[in-house]
Amino acid sequence: MPGTEDIQALLLTLKLAAVSTALLLVLGTPLAWWLAHTRWRAKYLLESVIALPLVLPPTVLGFYLLVALGPNGIVGDINLAFTFEGLVVGSVIYSLPFVVQPLQDAFINVGRWPLEVAATLRTSPIKAFFTVALPLARPGFITAAILGFAHTLGEFGVVLMIGGNIPGETRVASIAIYDHVESIEYAQAHMLSAVLLIISFLMLVSVFVINRRFRTVRF
């Protein structure tokens, strides 16, 4: 069984993933909706910025976040570096494409026709969004939530740069595994890695099962 510190790191990781995923859905939904429906010709620039964490080395992103969120950063006197809140900010930015892209695809697949039908019934755009678009895009929301959560579980470079290795505050599971390997504690590293492996595998299986079920129902 994992030790007390490893359990603490695992619980902190799950907390970070849950908080980050909730924020990602809140922030990513209107952004994905706008990207799916805007006719702005240069929207590819914003899409490129959102997708940047997919190709940018995590340490590079973590470094710039450390500079931005430090005592002399863009947030002024508020220092978010080496805090749990700083980890949340970094996780949201790092996992943003894993949430926005599935939501954008889901909204594109919904199309305009259901919303136009709702408009003919004198349904307001806001009400149509919540009663028509969101239910039809539900598979995309499930996929986005699972991918965002699972991606946060495995973060290392970003969280290490912006959060360091403070037990109970910023020491997440990936950093704990690295510490065990550095100390040649392979048994502890294996147990913690196995837990993350099982969680990640089950979440990915659920994505495929849910998507297949929705495709079958629509067919």
Side-chain angles (χ1 to χ4, degrees):
M1 291 293 292
T4 303
E5 291 187 356
D6 287 345
I7 293 176
Q8 186 181 49
L10 183 60
L11 292 176
L12 184 65
T13 303
L14 295 175
K15 177 183 176 182
L16 175 63
V19 173
S20 299
T21 302
L23 290 175
L24 281 165
L25 290 175
V26 171
L27 299 174
T29 298
L31 181 57
W33 176 262
W34 183 82
L35 288 172
H37 292 90
T38 184
R39 296 182 179 178
W40 183 41
R41 293 183 177 180
K43 76 171 185 177
Y44 64 88
L45 295 176
L46 181 57
E47 289 175 324
S48 298
V49 172
I50 294 172
L52 196 58
L54 294 175
V55 296
L56 191 67
T59 51
V60 174
L61 178 60
F63 169 72
Y64 284 115
L65 286 173
L66 177 63
V67 173
L69 300 179
N72 298 318
I74 59 176
V75 293
D77 296 331
I78 302 176
N79 181 16
L80 296 179
F82 306 110
T83 65
F84 178 79
E85 291 76 14
L87 291 186
V88 172
V89 174
S91 298
V92 168
I93 295 175
Y94 188 50
S95 297
L96 191 62
F98 290 87
V99 172
V100 171
Q101 290 180 0
L103 292 180
Q104 183 181 351
D105 291 339
F107 288 138
I108 291 175
N109 290 332
V110 168
R112 296 182 179 273
W113 183 77
L115 300 176
E116 292 173 353
V117 172
T120 61
L121 300 175
R122 298 183 179 180
T123 304
S124 67
I126 296 296
K127 185 176 180 180
F129 174 78
F130 284 102
T131 61
V132 178
L134 287 188
L136 292 176
R138 184 169 54 177
F141 275 89
I142 296 174
T143 299
I146 293 176
L147 290 181
F149 190 95
H151 188 248
T152 304
L153 291 179
E155 291 181 28
F156 178 77
V158 172
V159 296
L160 180 62
M161 292 293 291
I162 194 174
N165 188 3
I166 305 174
E169 181 69 24
T170 63
R171 187 175 189 260
V172 295
S174 58
I175 295 177
I177 293 172
Y178 179 78
D179 286 343
H180 286 314
V181 173
E182 268 201 326
S183 303
I184 319 181
E185 298 171 347
Y186 291 153
Q188 293 90 328
H190 170 70
M191 284 188 290
L192 198 54
S193 298
V195 172
L196 292 182
L197 174 62
I198 293 172
I199 294 175
S200 300
F201 176 75
L202 292 177
M203 296 187 77
L204 287 177
V205 168
S206 64
V207 168
F208 288 109
V209 171
I210 291 170
N211 285 337
R212 175 175 293 184
R213 181 174 299 177
F214 274 101
R215 283 197 299 267
T216 303
V217 171
R218 286 190 174 187
F219 178 79

